[in-house]
Amino acid sequence: MAETDSGVRNSISAEPTKAFFVDMLVRDIPLEQAVLDLVDNCVDGAKRLAKQAERPYEGCSVKITLDQTQFRIVDNCGGFDIETAREYAFRFGRPAGAKATSHSIGQFGVGMKRALFKFGRHFNVQSATSNEAWAVDVNVDEWEAQPGWSFPWAEFQDNGVSTAKPGTDIKVTKLRPEVALKFGTAWFRNSIIGLIKSKHRQFISDGLQISVNDFRIDATNIYLLVSNGFTPGTDILTFTSDDSAPVTAKIIVGVGTSSPKEAGWNVICNGRVILEADRRTVTGWGLLEEEAGKTLIPSFHNQFARFRGIVSFDSEDSSQIPWNTTKTDVDQDSIIWRKTFQRMLEMMRPVINFLNELDADIDESTREKSALLDFVTKASPQRPESFSVKKDFTAPARGSIVKGPKMIKIQYSRAIDDVNFLQDALGLGSAKAVGEACFDMILKRQRD
């Protein structure tokens, strides 16, 4: 009978080998992002413990230790139970019926496993709730050689978490050579600190303590300038459907201190920063009107170093939020993103117009004498959380603010030999000073 006759083979195996699967799983994720995925899981635990208070995560902590021999992350954020570990936590992808954390940021079901395999060839995971504790210990080389896809239970060791101190303790050893090399450098550790500081700024500001190699990370915040007649624009959009949780998008646009590094759009999903100071066409910069080739929004340059834009998406069901699976960008195909994006452009335009006016006032009057720049500089910084009511961006028009007599810039050219002669004769240090001195002398003569 031919080998392909029915009954000889009931099916053709298409299962991937474990080694192939692991290699593909970790190939396209940066090492830094894998670390952030584990921090995201800790944050979700803290969300389950959040208190109704000004600092809802006060008392929750995440401690990361990394060097050329190991990676370890320990939190006191409540842990997860045996059923969750057995049925959901170690599955590749999020199965139907998995317990969901409201407003979670670790919703794709691949972050922890991907990070463990990315880091090394041996990992131990221990977790404890107030009622039970469990442990999993995996030698990846041995696991890949064995049939089946399950992980073995291990004996729980009270080395940092317990039923008295609920939380999760993850340790990875036998690091991959390229991982050990990076983990052993001060540059990588500083990079991780910077990323956590920016990506989890809201949670740190709300009381969550995160440390890397005993260095405690402080919160960084976005500030917008506010004064009488000078306020950011705010809008709140709500997206609803019959079969999923609603999504709220809050958009804030305004002006901050002059800092090219901080300028641009910040996109936040359930409290997790996805894009920081983004200045790509994805968030509207350099956008052209296709039909007419007209510039809708200019490309970024330092003239717009004061622009601040924040869009925050929030939903009980995080799968409805427009972000990609690695939480490094927005999902541009999402209807929610496309509709929000249109409103972002509409709100962005008045701020760009004002910054153009500010630049023109500085160019005409000089930085020292620009009344508009003086007004902006004296405005008070406020955090975006304080803007909760829909409102248009408002700013004073150029010329409506007076700082001493109204000024105008005079520009002209003269032969360099003549300018140098007057500069020496008058004992002045620049061509500009020569022009100002000559003007003042003629003005005084005419008025006298």
Side-chain angles (χ1 to χ4, degrees):
M1 180 179 292
E3 190 176 28
T4 54
D5 289 348
S6 62
V8 175
R9 289 189 174 182
N10 293 326
S11 62
I12 298 173
S13 175
E15 290 185 358
T17 65
K18 291 179 181 177
F20 173 80
F21 181 83
V22 168
D23 182 58
M24 295 302 295
L25 181 70
V26 306
R27 177 171 296 179
D28 295 327
I29 183 172
L31 191 56
E32 295 87 347
Q33 185 59 45
V35 175
L36 289 175
D37 278 344
L38 293 181
V39 179
D40 288 346
N41 290 341
C42 300
V43 171
D44 279 345
K47 284 191 171 192
R48 292 190 288 269
L49 300 177
K51 302 179 288 288
Q52 293 295 325
E54 183 177 349
R55 288 165 60 85
Y57 308 117
E58 194 78 62
C60 294
S61 67
V62 181
K63 297 181 180 180
I64 298 171
T65 305
L66 55 87
D67 56 35
Q68 63 269 29
T69 64
Q70 68 164 347
F71 173 91
R72 189 180 184 190
I73 182 168
V74 183
D75 70 64
N76 67 347
C77 300
F80 50 106
D81 56 33
I82 292 174
E83 180 186 0
T84 300
R86 182 177 59 242
E87 301 296 335
Y88 306 117
F90 291 95
R91 297 279 292 274
F92 294 96
R94 185 171 292 277
K99 298 178 182 178
T101 299
S102 181
H103 303 273
S104 71
I105 58 175
Q107 60 98 10
F108 294 104
V110 294
M112 181 176 70
K113 286 79 68 177
R114 184 164 54 186
L116 297 178
F117 288 122
K118 177 80 173 180
F119 296 165
R121 305 296 291 177
H122 187 276
F123 58 82
N124 180 279
V125 181
Q126 299 196 137
S127 191
T129 66
S130 57
N131 298 316
E132 56 187 10
W134 58 268
V136 164
D137 192 84
V138 178
N139 182 310
V140 178
D141 293 326
E142 294 177 359
W143 177 76
E144 286 182 348
Q146 296 169 352
W149 288 76
S150 61
F151 292 143
W153 294 107
E155 183 178 351
F156 182 85
Q157 303 288 334
D158 185 357
N159 291 327
V161 300
S162 65
T163 53
K165 297 181 291 183
T168 300
D169 184 348
I170 297 174
K171 184 176 181 180
V172 185
T173 54
K174 294 181 64 177
L175 300 179
R176 293 171 180 257
E178 68 277 11
V179 172
L181 183 63
K182 280 194 171 183
F183 280 179
T185 65
W187 174 87
F188 184 84
R189 293 192 293 272
N190 291 335
S191 175
I192 288 297
I193 289 170
L195 284 170
I196 293 174
K197 180 178 287 194
S198 66
K199 300 298 184 182
H200 293 92
R201 63 159 66 105
Q202 180 173 317
F203 305 112
I204 298 172
S205 180
D206 286 340
L208 180 64
Q209 295 183 20
I210 305 179
S211 65
V212 176
N213 287 8
D214 294 325
F215 177 86
R216 179 170 171 173
I217 300 174
D218 296 323
T220 59
N221 293 303
I222 302 171
Y223 293 96
L224 297 102
L225 299 178
V226 179
S227 186
N228 185 29
F230 186 49
T231 57
T234 304
D235 200 2
I236 300 172
L237 312 177
T238 302
F239 303 93
T240 59
S241 64
D242 295 334
D243 57 353
S244 59
V247 177
T248 300
K250 181 179 179 181
I251 308 171
I252 303 173
V253 292
V255 172
T257 57
S258 183
S259 172
K261 182 180 178 181
E262 299 177 45
W265 279 100
N266 299 271
V267 179
I268 303 168
C269 296
N270 275 0
R272 165 71 142 78
V273 176
I274 304 304
L275 298 179
E276 183 180 23
D278 191 272
R279 299 185 287 269
R280 301 172 298 158
T281 55
V282 170
T283 52
W285 294 96
L287 194 66
L288 300 176
E289 189 175 18
E290 293 182 2
E291 293 81 2
K294 178 183 177 182
T295 300
L296 295 178
I297 302 293
S299 297
F300 179 84
H301 51 82
N302 286 349
Q303 179 176 326
F304 306 119
R306 292 180 177 273
F307 179 87
R308 300 293 186 274
I310 305 147
V311 55
S312 302
F313 294 97
D314 188 81
S315 178
E316 183 177 342
D317 181 0
S318 57
S319 67
Q320 302 303 311
I321 290 177
W323 52 2
N324 64 6
T325 59
T326 55
K327 291 168 278 191
T328 55
D329 213 335
V330 296
D331 177 6
Q332 297 181 57
D333 295 326
S334 163
I335 293 176
I336 290 175
W337 171 256
R338 292 205 299 268
K339 290 183 177 179
T340 303
F341 178 68
Q342 289 302 316
R343 185 64 183 129
M344 288 164 60
L345 296 180
E346 294 168 358
M347 296 176 67
M348 188 179 186
R349 187 68 251 183
V351 182
I352 294 297
N353 291 342
F354 172 74
L355 293 175
N356 284 334
E357 289 292 286
L358 177 60
D359 186 68
D361 196 64
I362 293 171
D363 185 59
E364 181 178 299
S365 306
T366 73
R367 298 188 66 85
E368 294 77 19
K369 298 177 182 179
S370 168
L372 199 54
L373 177 61
D374 184 64
F375 175 86
V376 170
T377 303
K378 291 178 179 178
S380 301
Q382 289 188 23
R383 290 181 58 181
E385 291 83 359
S386 61
F387 308 110
S388 57
V389 179
K390 292 185 179 184
K391 191 171 186 178
D392 291 336
F393 171 76
T394 58
R398 184 159 64 103
S400 65
I401 298 173
V402 178
K403 180 187 177 184
K406 189 173 181 180
M407 309 294 285
I408 187 170
K409 182 183 250 184
I410 301 174
Q411 290 181 306
Y412 58 88
S413 300
R414 288 293 182 269
I416 190 168
D417 289 341
D418 294 339
V419 173
N420 288 338
F421 173 78
L422 284 176
Q423 187 172 320
D424 292 338
L426 297 173
L428 299 173
S430 68
K432 177 184 176 183
V434 170
E436 290 174 342
C438 292
F439 180 91
D440 292 342
M441 284 189 291
I442 296 298
L443 179 65
K444 184 175 185 304
R445 182 183 304 170
Q446 292 299 314
R447 283 185 169 166
D448 291 345

